[in-house]
Amino acid sequence: NSVWVSTDHDEIEKVAKQFGAQVHRRSPEVSQDSSTSLEAIREFLNHHHEVDIVGNIQATSPCLHPSDLIKVADLIQKEGFDSVFSVVRRHQFRWSEVKKGENKMTEPQNLNPAKRYRRQDWPGELYENGSFYFAKRHLIEKGYLQGGKMAYYEMRAEHSVDIDIDIDWPIAEQRVLSFGYFGKEPLKEVKLMVCRTKNRCRLPSKSLNSVLLQMEIGMDKMKVAIPQVRLISERDCSKTLSAMQLGCIAKVSATNKLEVLEDWQKDMGLSWKEVAYLGNEESDVECLKKAGMSGVPADACAVAQKAAGYICKSRGGCGAVREFAEHIFLLLEKVNSARKQ
């Protein structure tokens, strides 16, 4: 019924509201380093008596999909569970810990070494992954997030990332790159890719050649899987584009990029989900918001980065086009694989 961000930080409140969330200003008493999520949730419920069920989503689990939350809400609202929490299946053999100075040997916890089997032939065990905890009000008021009629929800391993230490961060980034985040609607085939470009003729000749080469490689990659690749620029860079000989449609001196993009989309009979857009500046923001897949180089302006679905690690002219193309291919491969299954 409502989405809330609980925080005591002004900047977090500002960003939360920009993305459509409501904000509960957390008190200093439950904002300490030692404060628990349960304490913050109980404080929230004291101010919101209309709430009967709370879904506590952990910000440190960025690969969670909306479809999972919809199914969990149904378990509570339609099947009568009092609490539901997320788990993931692990295939790891456990051994007892032997502390330094103890005169004993380690013991197997979940296997028989004499009849050791392959881990891939073993069904594994379920572990909490910390992604979410759903519970009814009466449980939370008693001091529980788990209790009553309980159920677990098993998440897919590729969506199960819990950021606790530094090494977890790049793992989460790679999971999103490899398996994608499609939101509520399934990703469709990308049929039109539009790249915003600009005149680079002021660069030294060696730098210009490098820029052109990187862009040509990226464009060639995109043409393999995307039927139409087009360029757009608010500047008159026709001479540069002509020299590149990329063999694709280009619109230069475009004072209204969104208008051009809408004309292309309508002429080709495409939905916005079938359009990908790589932008860089404030004039690209509306196009980035409309496109089904959107990206920006690492050096794009702040407002463009905020509007984009993917921020390249490469700067403009230094491999960003190629990186965005590879990102699209990874997501489309995932979709095609799921369709075949």
Side-chain angles (χ1 to χ4, degrees):
N1 299 105
S2 57
V3 178
W4 293 79
V5 171
S6 173
T7 184
D8 65 335
H9 195 279
D10 292 340
E11 184 64 20
I12 292 175
E13 176 179 8
K14 179 182 176 182
V15 173
K17 287 180 176 178
Q18 286 175 345
F19 282 89
Q22 299 181 67
V23 173
H24 169 73
R25 287 297 298 203
R26 194 184 300 186
S27 69
E29 290 75 24
V30 298
S31 300
Q32 308 301 314
D33 289 343
S34 58
S35 298
T36 65
S37 297
L38 180 59
E39 290 172 336
I41 294 169
R42 292 181 73 177
E43 181 190 70
F44 172 85
L45 287 178
N46 288 335
H47 291 83
H48 296 276
H49 299 286
E50 76 282 3
V51 176
D52 298 316
I53 301 168
V54 172
N56 177 37
I57 301 170
Q58 306 278 65
T60 48
S61 298
C63 297
L64 176 63
H65 281 222
S67 59
D68 290 330
L69 299 180
I70 293 169
K71 293 172 185 175
V72 171
D74 285 344
L75 286 173
I76 290 187
Q77 293 174 311
K78 297 179 181 180
E79 299 188 33
F81 287 97
D82 295 310
S83 60
V84 184
F85 55 94
S86 58
V87 300
V88 65
R89 191 172 298 275
R90 301 290 189 204
H91 295 80
Q92 296 171 321
F93 295 139
R94 291 183 289 107
W95 293 78
S96 62
E97 182 180 358
V98 178
K99 295 182 179 179
K100 189 175 181 179
E102 291 182 337
N103 187 24
K104 64 179 183 179
M105 294 186 297
T106 185
E107 296 288 341
Q109 298 293 299
N110 61 352
L111 77 152
N112 180 356
K115 296 180 180 179
R116 186 183 177 95
Y117 37 72
R118 299 190 312 163
R119 287 192 298 175
Q120 57 265 45
D121 296 331
W122 174 48
E125 297 178 327
L126 297 177
Y127 290 82
E128 285 188 34
N129 66 359
S131 189
F132 59 77
Y133 298 86
F134 276 61
K136 290 183 176 177
R137 170 185 280 271
H138 69 86
L139 274 179
I140 298 171
E141 289 178 339
K142 292 177 183 177
Y144 304 110
L145 278 174
Q146 296 160 301
K149 184 181 177 182
M150 288 186 291
Y152 62 78
Y153 180 87
E154 185 176 347
M155 289 177 56
R156 289 162 61 179
E158 61 264 34
H159 297 160
S160 185
V161 178
D162 188 20
I163 300 178
D164 279 331
I165 57 178
D166 290 348
I167 190 61
D168 296 329
W169 189 274
I171 292 173
E173 284 186 335
Q174 287 304 311
R175 290 285 175 87
V176 173
L177 278 174
S178 297
F179 299 103
Y181 179 82
F182 307 139
K184 294 181 180 179
E185 298 180 55
L187 182 69
K188 292 186 177 181
E189 181 182 2
V190 175
K191 296 182 178 178
L192 172 62
M193 171 72 190
V194 179
C195 287
R196 178 257 182 206
T197 186
K198 63 181 180 179
N199 194 341
R200 295 272 187 174
C201 289
R202 294 179 182 175
L203 292 171
S205 58
K206 288 185 179 180
S207 299
L208 177 59
N209 289 336
S210 175
V211 168
L212 298 184
L213 177 61
Q214 290 286 353
M215 192 162 188
E216 285 181 47
I217 293 171
M219 297 291 284
D220 288 341
K221 273 182 168 288
M222 287 187 289
K223 288 177 182 177
V224 173
I226 302 172
Q228 280 280 341
V229 179
R230 299 184 179 186
L231 301 176
I232 190 169
S233 176
E234 68 269 32
R235 299 173 178 85
D236 183 5
C237 52
S238 52
K239 291 182 179 179
T240 302
L241 295 177
S242 177
M244 292 168 71
Q245 296 181 338
L246 296 173
C248 61
I249 295 174
K251 176 66 176 178
V252 299
S253 302
T255 55
N256 189 325
K257 294 180 186 175
L258 180 59
E259 194 174 277
V260 174
L261 192 60
E262 286 176 336
D263 288 342
W264 284 346
Q265 176 240 339
K266 291 175 183 176
D267 288 344
M268 296 177 68
L270 303 179
S271 69
W272 283 113
K273 280 285 179 182
E274 296 170 303
V275 178
Y277 189 92
L278 181 67
N280 189 52
E281 297 182 349
E282 189 171 350
S283 59
D284 297 304
V285 167
E286 293 306 315
C287 295
L288 291 167
K289 289 180 178 179
K290 283 279 190 180
M293 295 187 68
S294 58
V296 294
D299 57 344
C301 69
V303 289
Q305 289 191 11
K306 186 175 176 181
Y310 178 75
I311 301 175
C312 298
K313 292 182 176 63
S314 307
R315 296 167 63 87
C318 299
V321 175
R322 178 168 56 180
E323 182 184 338
F324 187 51
E326 289 172 349
H327 171 67
I328 292 174
F329 294 158
L330 283 171
L331 298 189
L332 292 178
E333 283 176 6
K334 174 65 178 176
V335 172
N336 292 332
S337 176
R339 285 173 182 166
K340 290 176 182 177
Q341 292 175 1

